[in-house]
Amino acid sequence: MANPLQMGSVIPSSPSLCRKIAALVERKPDEVVVELGAGTGVISRALLEAGVPPERLVVVEIVPDMAAHLRGVLPGVNVIQGDAFDLPRALPERLHGKVGTAICGIPLVMLPLDRQRRFVEAVEAVAPGRGFLLYTYCITSPLPYRKLNLSAERKAWTPLNVPPASVWHYRPIG
């Protein structure tokens, strides 16, 4: 409630949405899953329940108190208090190029195009060609993907989430 623009929703994501996101994760054995803007950690827990090993889950959270909370509730998970828009610096260099799936819970739709572009470039720097999953409360694409040189595909829709949510996969073109 203190920082409404940093949270996509004040209500945690539903178990249905969490399961759908977890089912979309792709990761080779030597790759990690990176969650950006983990909030209370409900998606993180679903990823662990779906079989992502704790040591292969990296959570990046900008809010110091939330990062501290996540460290307490997600034992074995690498929780980084850092900025997703500066992901190349926040993520250890040994993991650059080793990101199987990046998941974004940041309300990118509320940001201007230049900030959205900065986010896309940050993910591309550590996960070349992989793109990212974005869960959102928009039915249509929340990002102007053509302007960002991305392809967009809605992978899931969860009408039982409050509010209803979509999961989009964005990937760089070319």
Side-chain angles (χ1 to χ4, degrees):
M1 294 290 210
N3 296 300
L5 293 179
Q6 290 182 334
M7 299 292 287
S9 174
V10 294
I11 301 169
S13 299
S14 71
S16 176
L17 176 60
C18 293
R19 284 190 301 271
K20 287 184 180 197
I21 293 168
L24 293 169
V25 165
E26 296 176 0
R27 179 188 67 80
K28 295 177 185 162
D30 66 334
E31 292 179 330
V32 296
V33 174
V34 175
E35 185 182 1
L36 306 164
T40 60
V42 295
I43 302 245
S44 306
R45 284 191 285 282
L47 295 168
L48 296 168
E49 289 170 10
V52 176
E55 66 276 7
R56 291 286 170 199
L57 179 56
V58 178
V59 174
V60 178
E61 175 58 53
I62 196 168
V63 180
D65 290 343
M66 292 302 294
H69 166 77
L70 292 167
R71 284 187 193 99
V73 299
L74 300 171
V77 172
N78 184 4
V79 177
I80 298 169
Q81 193 269 307
D83 187 349
F85 291 81
D86 194 12
L87 200 52
R89 185 178 312 198
L91 196 65
E93 197 168 317
R94 66 182 165 75
L95 297 178
H96 293 200
K98 294 291 185 181
V99 177
T101 299
I103 301 164
C104 180
I106 300 166
L108 297 176
V109 67
M110 298 173 70
L111 302 177
L113 183 63
D114 63 319
R115 291 281 291 158
Q116 292 173 349
R117 186 169 285 115
R118 185 171 166 208
F119 176 83
V120 170
E121 290 168 355
V123 173
E124 182 64 12
V126 299
R130 301 304 287 267
F132 57 96
L133 297 175
L134 174 66
Y135 57 100
T136 178
Y137 308 106
C138 301
I139 292 175
T140 60
S141 174
L143 296 179
Y145 59 93
R146 288 180 185 93
K147 290 181 180 179
L148 295 167
N149 201 31
L150 299 171
S151 65
E153 182 181 0
R154 189 166 84 162
K155 298 294 241 174
W157 184 61
T158 311
L160 299 179
N161 195 73
V162 178
S166 296
V167 182
W168 288 82
H169 187 200
Y170 294 97
R171 192 176 298 241
I173 297 173

